[in-house]
Amino acid sequence: MFDNKDKTEINELGEFGLIEYLTKAVELTQSTTLKGIGDDAAVLDFSNKKTLISTDLLLEGIHFDLRYVPLKHLGYKAVQVNLSDIYAMNGKASQITFSIGLSSKFPLEAVEEIYEGALIACKKYEVDLIGGDTSASAQGLVISVTSIGYGEADAIAYRSGAKEGDLLCVSGDLGGAYVGLQLLEREKQIFLENPQIQPDLEGKDYIVERQLKPEARKDLIQLFETYGIQPHAMIDVSDGLASEILHICKASQVGCKLYEDKIPIDPMTYDTAREFGLDPTVCALNGGEDYELLFTVPQDAYDKVKNQLDITIIGYITEEAAGCEMISKSGNVHPITAQGWNAFKK
Ligand code: ADP
Ligand code: MG
């Protein structure tokens, strides 16, 4: 993974030295941050806005594999997946805390790379790093990010807001992160069997990036504001389209119709899924980690969403009793299940 020759051992610095070293490049840019790193707690001021808070825990071997995830990407992704939850509420992300547990195999240079990635994400998305915690870990790397943001009370989009007749929409395209992961897993296996062989990811940049370097859809929240679009319900696609649709429908006590032929899938995702013998639709439904936004809007917002190149209308919301169903390309109707659609043979 990394060569510890000529590397600095963390205990040479001590905990306080490490924190100081890692956070020396931190700049505060948000007017809502009154106090960042350096006291017992950070101090924020959202005046009359509602505060949004979300947290994620990332564990080595469970959520990431350092054999193919570069540390800088890991820091970047850890921040992105967290900001995505604030955007999924139709909020503005403004601060994060970043906590880290390190086993002895990590030299200072490794932690530095993680922070480099995290700080690039902070800068790009205009959020302040305002604190965290640092500890030794008995085994492996642990990262926990908390993101903080704000929104107007009537702009915040809950999972529970979908109404019968709403249009079901999704941003970007789906399945890419999952197919990218299959590719990385395959190359890892080849590498483990024969370390002389270099990974062959030629021409697969898009899906590899979808897996390693996801981008939270802050731009969509800005687009909603510009065009006066108020989503009734929204969720980010972290676990696959099927699971997220079911979350919205359950929380909103509604049903839905999803059209398989409308699900946006990038051609590279499509072709690579086929190479792996996978159904591209199943990759979009059950894959996950795309960090796109799934949302519903009232029908009178149709004119506003239909011409947005990055938004696809994939179905509509029905009454609860009608259930959650997908109309396949061949016109058959299937119940949407969180997993298990896999097993269905078309
Ligand atoms: P405490 O003992 O009160 O937990 P620490 O010594 O852990 O305080 O932290 C001192 C300051 O450094 C705090 O502002 C804390 O938020 C910040 N900090 C600690 N670890 C990190 C980290 N990994 N990333 C960013 N800030 C950190
Ligand atoms: Mg602490």
Side-chain angles (χ1 to χ4, degrees), residues 61-298:
I62 307 284
H63 302 100
F64 56 89
D65 185 334
L66 288 178
R67 283 172 295 190
Y68 55 72
V69 179
L71 292 165
K72 199 165 154 183
H73 287 70
L74 181 63
Y76 188 86
K77 182 170 175 175
V79 175
Q80 291 295 341
V81 305
N82 227 266
L83 297 181
S84 179
D85 285 319
I86 300 291
Y87 302 134
M89 300 301 287
N90 201 26
K92 296 196 172 66
S94 47
Q95 288 86 13
I96 61 157
T97 65
F98 198 97
S99 301
I100 192 158
L102 297 159
S103 65
S104 57
K105 72 178 175 182
F106 291 91
L108 178 65
E109 287 77 3
V111 194
E112 218 176 344
E113 271 185 55
I114 297 172
Y115 264 75
E116 215 179 303
L119 288 175
I120 290 172
C122 287
K123 193 160 193 179
K124 190 166 171 192
Y125 282 72
E126 298 175 297
V127 302
D128 289 345
L129 176 67
I130 55 156
D133 201 15
T134 309
S135 170
S137 135
Q139 230 186 2
L141 175 62
V142 179
I143 296 177
S144 177
V145 181
T146 297
S147 53
I148 301 155
Y150 58 93
E152 299 288 348
D154 54 4
I156 293 172
Y158 296 88
R159 294 178 180 184
S160 57
K163 301 268 178 298
E164 192 180 340
D166 278 3
L167 305 170
L168 183 65
C169 307
V170 72
S171 65
D173 56 76
L174 300 173
Y178 178 77
V179 179
L181 180 65
Q182 302 314 303
L183 203 61
L184 289 165
E185 287 280 353
R186 181 181 73 187
E187 295 308 315
K188 180 183 86 181
Q189 283 313 324
I190 294 172
F191 179 78
L192 290 177
E193 281 156 32
N194 187 348
Q196 310 319 324
I197 300 176
Q198 287 304 305
D200 176 20
L201 303 168
E202 237 339 82
K204 300 286 191 188
D205 303 18
Y206 180 66
I207 53 175
V208 171
E209 282 213 355
R210 292 290 283 170
Q211 170 57 225
L212 293 182
K213 209 175 148 291
E215 298 287 339
R217 297 308 306 261
K218 178 185 182 180
D219 58 326
L220 214 72
I221 303 312
Q222 288 164 337
L223 183 148
F224 290 158
E225 202 173 9
T226 306
Y227 290 89
I229 297 168
Q230 174 60 48
H232 272 170
M234 187 150 63
I235 189 169
D236 65 331
V237 183
S238 52
D239 296 331
L241 180 63
S243 158
E244 315 306 357
I245 287 179
L246 292 176
H247 280 310
I248 285 188
C249 288
K250 187 171 178 215
S252 301
Q253 297 180 289
V254 294
C256 76
K257 295 277 181 286
L258 164 70
Y259 291 90
E260 183 187 6
D261 63 348
K262 302 283 188 226
I263 299 173
I265 297 177
D266 178 83
M268 189 188 293
T269 303
Y270 191 94
D271 293 344
T272 314
R274 286 281 182 226
E275 275 172 41
F276 277 92
L278 298 168
D279 181 336
T281 300
V282 174
C283 295
L285 285 173
N286 294 342
E289 292 206 285
D290 289 313
Y291 299 104
E292 295 297 340
L293 293 174
L294 174 74
F295 57 98
T296 80
V297 291

Side-chain angles (χ1 to χ4, degrees), residues 291-311:
Y291 299 104
E292 295 297 340
L293 293 174
L294 174 74
F295 57 98
T296 80
V297 291
Q299 274 175 36
D300 60 18
Y302 176 72
D303 284 333
K304 291 179 184 168
V305 293
K306 75 165 195 271
N307 293 324
Q308 301 298 341
L309 290 177
D310 217 22
I311 296 178

